[in-house]
Amino acid sequence: MMQMRFQPQVVNFCMVFLFATLSVLMLTSPIACAQNESPDIVSVGAGSYTTKLPTGAKEPGTLPFVTEAVKKPIPTNDWWSSLVFSKFSNQMFPHPLGVQAHEKGLRIYYPGVGYTANPEGIFTAVMQAPDDLVIGHSAQLTFPDARAESWSDWFVTAAFGNKLFLTFGHGSPFVYGTITDGDPTFTFASAPTVFSGDAKSPVLGVTLGGRSYGLFGAAGCTWEGTGTSKLTCKGKSYFSVALLPDNKQETLAFFAKYAYNHVTDSKVVWSYDEKTSRVTTKYAFTVKAYEGATLGTLFGLYPHQYQRSATKLTDYTYQCTRGTLKVAAGEGFTTVTPFQGVLPLLPDFGGYEKATLKKFIDTDAATYKPELADTYWTGKALGKLATLAALAEATGNTAANTALRARLQALLEDYFTAKDAKTKGLFYYNKPWGTLIGYPASYGSDEALNDHHFHYGYFIRAAAELARQEPEWASQAQWGAMVNLLIRDCANPERSDPLFPFLRNFDIYEGHTWADGKGDFADGNNNESSSEAMNAWTGMILWGELTGDKKLRDTGIYLYVTEKDAIDNYWFDVNKLYPKAFTRSLASMVWGAKAVFATWFSGDPIHMHGINLLPLQSGSLYLGTHPAYISENLASLATERIAHDKKDAKRDQSLPPRTGKNWGGWGDVILMYQALADAPGALANCNFETQEIESGNSRANFYYWMHFLSKAGQVDTSISADTPLYGVFKKGNQRTYFVYSATAQPRRVTFSDGKVIVTRKVGIVTESRPLK
């Protein structure tokens, strides 16, 4: 989340592209410009977008800082995005390094030396002058700017004046360099101690302030300035620098084996095995060997990676804000992650009062008529309508379903239609940045390109509900092509797309999304609402499955399982990675250099917890993976809320604590979360008539969710199925299986415990049996 808000969330809209025919398939379809009222309006199926900035609208106020060699869409919302938004950059955190592009070159330091914690967060060092060291150019003391020259999935190359090119990336202890018209210089805060090598050896090991670095010059190079704070490498045009785990000779020698293998490409490939319900992700490095015969490179794995990998690790480690990075050597590694399935809706499982549920649904169907707003709040309205329409359909309330669906369709189609005079409820394609911006924008979704995955995720999930109930609406000839544009904007699976960058909001190596388009903070980029990212991936999975696009579906599954692992580790800390001095049960906002108990919009602990839970819908069942953690989370919230209220000068101190039966605003979100671990206990705390309802939720959804889980029990993650749309629950000695079929064609679904369900209709099939 990027900007201050009075409500929880940030979201941004981006999508565009040109289709040559309407008969081609989703992501690779070119777009045809049909005859419209003006050439600025581009037709996409039944919808359209504009290439002309609407009157009064804003967009990024600068062109990307890239070299002339760059001919493809620009990544934003990444750990290195300030490099392309700024003349130089703010601090960037590829981990284990911290780096910053500066007029004198690239500043380098080790954030891990400042690793500490207190009750408000986990922190690493933010670089302040004097630096550990600066890589510069002997013939050019200052540069006019630093520009992105090239990039791959988690590496980037920065060009300083087209004379110094430096490459760095996630997990790498190295910075690789090439230089022309001069020699590389290494300027330290003070004269470093040389623990290995001398002026005539190509490799130097140096230590400064407890941090150690390897300086790797080309064979035959010499060093000027030994014994001073500035070293110059006299020799060939290539070199590298490595942050070392220690200052031992054998460590330097080990790193030297890989120092001349410059990483030229980093690439992720994922595959979803439907039969085993597993996602296999391969991370590969391509190197250019300037010297030596060693293969591959050295790379640090984050906790969420080595927990899922059989890759052999060395004994070397680094500290970073995500915990301990463990170093491996080679050409890449592989992770295998289970996928527990998603459901498009919670089916009618009984256990509730039909008259009460109908009343709640009918009330919303009659009264909830949201008007077009900015992309975030329109998105939340779309999410609420989609969940309500599915619930009405599941429980046989045809009239309400029809009314809600019509409202949902009208809102989407309004935003999916551009006209010359229209300034609200449309999308605009910004070519320099390769992005779709929806207007009205909010929370920096226009000027900073913030939160597109949050905002557009709601649109995508809402469209998936229409695709489920009205397949024709979702066809490419109708409105499906516009939905695909939104997906391409925030989660494009194609590297060669001429209009949008690859996986814009997702940090492939760190395993989660970033909200800020620029990432222009001393602490790097940030992401607050992890659950809204999961809402987007839920929508993407459903959209892909329901429209028959397996590539989109499988990309959504890859994003879903990877982000879930990151959430468990870095937001919820279920594996206890963080120091005990951080006494909270979660970090509500993750940054490059820290993880903190805070939000952009509120100091109330219920918002810090709830922003990583909402919107609660059928794709939110991943939150029930760790029932014991849920109890820990809510116990912490209760304590925090009491302390917060005591400090609130505006609160009447005679009022009872806002916990348990009296959570107050957002209490529906908290009780629904509690129900994933203890539905009877949560149900006992509910007052369905008077409980305040969070704006993206509904009383009907709150009521039905609580009763569904009270009857079905807890999510059972020990069982998987050979289909993506499923869920398994356990209560007492009873296990219940739910399978959604998008087709009436019979299909045999097999679960990992041997249970078989044969689907013969469109919809959810439910079967229960006693545990063996």
Side-chain angles (χ1 to χ4, degrees):
M1 309 256 170
M2 248 304 295
Q3 304 264 330
M4 275 290 218
R5 305 168 298 179
F6 296 103
Q7 293 285 350
Q9 240 124 306
V10 265
V11 195
N12 299 28
F13 247 40
C14 279
M15 295 232 142
V16 200
F17 91 167
L18 304 163
F19 280 80
T21 73
L22 297 175
S23 60
V24 283
L25 294 175
M26 303 198 179
L27 291 176
T28 55
S29 305
I31 297 178
C33 293
Q35 291 184 355
N36 277 292
E37 49 189 292
S38 92
D40 300 319
I41 306 299
V42 180
S43 293
V44 185
S48 55
Y49 65 90
T50 181
T51 57
K52 180 180 179 181
L53 185 68
T55 302
K58 297 179 180 180
E59 60 183 336
T62 183
L63 294 176
F65 283 88
V66 296
T67 65
E68 293 181 357
V70 172
K71 304 296 182 185
K72 57 184 179 179
I74 310 300
T76 61
N77 307 80
D78 214 331
W79 61 269
W80 57 271
S81 291
S82 67
L83 181 65
V84 290
F85 271 97
S86 306
K87 190 175 182 180
F88 292 100
S89 80
N90 213 315
Q91 297 188 50
M92 302 175 285
F93 296 89
H95 302 148
L97 288 167
V99 299
Q100 183 178 20
H102 185 266
E103 65 175 1
K104 294 183 179 181
L106 188 70
R107 303 170 71 195
I108 300 175
Y109 73 115
Y110 177 34
V113 297
Y115 189 72
T116 186
N118 62 39
E120 304 310 314
I122 303 94
F123 305 91
T124 54
V126 174
M127 178 165 46
Q128 298 176 354
D131 322 290
D132 275 9
L133 68 106
V134 178
I135 303 176
H137 193 291
S138 64
Q140 188 161 353
L141 297 181
T142 61
F143 298 98
D145 55 39
R147 295 173 177 266
E149 193 267 342
S150 62
W151 55 84
S152 55
D153 287 358
W154 59 92
F155 272 73
V156 64
T157 296
F160 293 81
N162 285 323
K163 291 185 177 181
L164 177 65
F165 298 87
L166 300 175
T167 300
F168 43 92
H170 260 322
S172 179
F174 289 101
V175 174
Y176 307 100
T178 59
I179 194 168
T180 61
D181 301 327
D183 299 308
T185 62
F186 305 87
T187 304
F188 293 81
S190 59
T193 299
V194 177
F195 71 84
S196 181
D198 56 34
K200 295 182 179 181
S201 57
V203 177
L204 292 181
V206 302
T207 298
L208 178 77
R211 279 92 74 195
S212 297
Y213 292 90
L215 309 181
F216 303 96
C221 83
T222 59
W223 295 91
E224 288 184 356
T226 54
T228 72
S229 62
K230 185 174 182 179
L231 300 173
T232 301
C233 182
K234 308 289 288 185
K236 297 177 184 177
S237 61
Y238 58 89
F239 63 92
S240 65
V241 177
L243 173 68
L244 301 176
D246 56 51
N247 62 352
K248 297 178 182 178
Q249 292 282 354
E250 56 266 34
T251 300
L252 181 64
F254 180 70
F255 274 65
K257 292 179 181 179
Y258 299 92
Y260 300 97
N261 290 354
H262 290 206
V263 173
T264 57
D265 191 25
S266 57
K267 188 174 184 179
V268 68
V269 177
W270 61 85
S271 61
Y272 162 59
D273 185 337
E274 199 164 317
K275 185 176 181 180
T276 62
S277 200
R278 295 288 186 272
V279 175
T280 298
T281 307
K282 296 181 179 180
Y283 301 83
F285 299 86
T286 300
V287 303
K288 178 180 179 179
Y290 284 90
E291 296 179 19
T294 304
L295 299 177
T297 185
L298 298 178
F299 47 90
L301 277 68
Y302 286 105
H304 77 278
Q305 294 171 325
Y306 55 72
Q307 290 164 5
R308 300 290 189 187
S309 181
T311 297
K312 184 179 179 180
L313 302 171
T314 69
D315 293 330
Y316 296 116
T317 64
Y318 296 97
Q319 199 66 53
C320 77
T321 193
R322 306 289 168 259
T324 301
L325 280 176
K326 297 184 178 182
V327 177
E331 298 175 276
F333 64 98
T334 299
T335 62
V336 180
T337 311
F339 173 53
Q340 305 299 157
V342 297
L343 288 167
L345 72 161
L346 296 183
D348 189 348
F349 198 45
Y352 61 91
E353 294 181 1
K354 292 187 177 182
T356 301
L357 179 62
K358 185 176 186 303
K359 178 184 72 173
F360 290 153
I361 293 175
D362 287 347
T363 298
D364 272 316
T367 60
Y368 186 60
K369 299 177 181 179
E371 296 182 358
L372 183 147
D374 63 63
T375 48
Y376 180 71
W377 290 101
T378 295
K380 285 179 70 73
L382 288 166
K384 179 175 178 176
L385 286 169
T387 301
L388 276 168
L391 180 55
E393 189 254 1
T395 55
N397 193 333
T398 303
N401 177 43
T402 300
L404 291 162
R405 214 162 6 97
R407 221 159 290 160
L408 180 65
Q409 186 172 327
L411 258 183
L412 282 171
E413 292 178 10
D414 194 351
Y415 250 105
F416 287 169
T417 303
K419 296 180 181 178
D420 275 341
K422 198 175 183 183
T423 60
K424 294 197 287 187
L426 78 166
F427 287 97
Y428 154 71
Y429 181 72
N430 176 286
K431 185 176 180 180
W433 288 98
T435 186
L436 269 183
I437 305 174
Y439 297 99
S442 56
Y443 310 121
S445 61
D446 48 1
E447 294 179 278
L449 308 184
N450 296 342
D451 310 334
H452 284 200
H453 62 315
F454 294 151
H455 298 219
Y456 302 168
Y458 283 103
F459 282 70
I460 295 162
R461 191 174 72 82
E465 178 56 28
L466 283 181
R468 189 180 72 83
Q469 295 200 49
E470 300 180 40
E472 203 172 296
W473 183 93
S475 71
Q476 292 297 288
Q478 292 299 310
W479 301 95
M482 281 299 295
V483 179
N484 284 353
L485 277 182
L486 293 184
I487 294 173
R488 288 170 64 191
D489 179 77
C490 61
N492 188 6
E494 301 288 348
R495 290 182 179 82
S496 59
D497 192 319
L499 296 180
F500 302 98
F502 178 60
L503 296 180
R504 180 191 306 278
N505 283 95
F506 193 71
D507 188 317
I508 291 161
Y509 205 80
E510 199 158 325
H512 61 79
T513 49
W514 293 115
D516 193 307
K518 296 181 176 181
D520 193 18
F521 294 90
D523 284 304
N525 213 324
N526 71 89
N527 204 56
E528 186 180 63
S529 182
S530 58
S531 50
E532 285 183 298
M534 294 295 279
N535 180 62
W537 312 148
T538 297
M540 194 170 171
I541 294 167
L542 296 175
W543 179 260
E545 177 71 6
L546 294 166
T547 61
D549 190 325
K550 287 193 174 183
K551 183 166 189 176
L552 273 186
R553 180 200 70 179
D554 292 358
T555 300
I557 290 172
Y558 155 70
L559 295 170
Y560 188 97
V561 300
T562 310
E563 188 121 27
K564 178 190 179 299
D565 271 358
I567 293 167
D568 282 347
N569 280 289
Y570 313 133
W571 274 260
F572 294 160
D573 193 25
V574 298
N575 292 310
K576 305 305 177 190
L577 301 172
Y578 291 148
K580 291 182 180 179
F582 179 61
T583 55
R584 311 291 186 174
S585 63
L586 83 161
S588 50
M589 190 185 304
V590 165
W591 294 74
K594 64 186 180 183
V596 293
F597 187 69
T599 73
W600 283 109
F601 61 94
S602 169
D604 191 330
I606 202 168
H607 295 148
M608 299 176 197
H609 287 250
I611 195 62
N612 285 291
L613 305 176
L614 57 76
L616 283 154
Q617 37 83 15
S618 57
S620 303
L621 297 173
Y622 72 93
L623 291 167
T625 303
H626 305 284
Y629 169 74
I630 294 174
S631 300
E632 176 189 330
N633 181 301
L634 296 180
S636 179
L637 170 59
T639 300
E640 293 155 358
R641 198 76 183 290
I642 292 170
H644 173 77
D645 285 352
K646 285 181 178 179
K647 293 179 180 179
D648 188 353
K650 297 180 180 179
R651 179 171 169 78
D652 185 343
Q653 297 298 314
S654 67
L655 294 173
R658 293 184 299 164
T659 61
K661 292 185 178 182
N662 184 37
W663 286 114
W666 287 32
D668 55 324
V669 173
I670 300 303
L671 290 166
M672 291 170 76
Y673 180 52
Q674 181 187 353
L676 288 163
D678 176 20
L683 198 56
N685 283 333
C686 292
N687 188 321
F688 293 109
E689 298 290 344
T690 62
Q691 171 63 53
E692 294 178 58
I693 303 297
E694 188 271 326
S695 59
N697 197 15
S698 67
R699 201 169 299 279
N701 186 46
F702 172 45
Y703 177 83
Y704 184 72
W705 175 282
M706 302 301 293
H707 287 85
F708 175 87
L709 290 174
S710 184
K711 186 173 181 183
Q714 294 180 348
V715 176
D716 187 349
T717 58
S718 69
I719 306 299
S720 61
D722 59 357
T723 183
L725 306 188
Y726 75 96
V728 183
F729 296 80
K730 183 172 63 176
K731 183 178 181 181
N733 68 344
Q734 193 84 353
R735 180 174 283 144
T736 303
Y737 309 79
F738 299 95
V739 175
Y740 185 86
S741 175
T743 174
Q745 184 176 350
R747 178 175 177 186
R748 180 185 174 91
V749 176
T750 303
F751 289 82
S752 58
D753 63 349
K755 173 66 178 175
V756 175
I757 292 179
V758 179
T759 65
R760 292 187 174 87
K761 63 177 183 178
V762 174
I764 289 185
V765 178
T766 302
E767 291 188 15
S768 300
R769 71 176 183 182
L771 295 173
K772 294 182 179 179

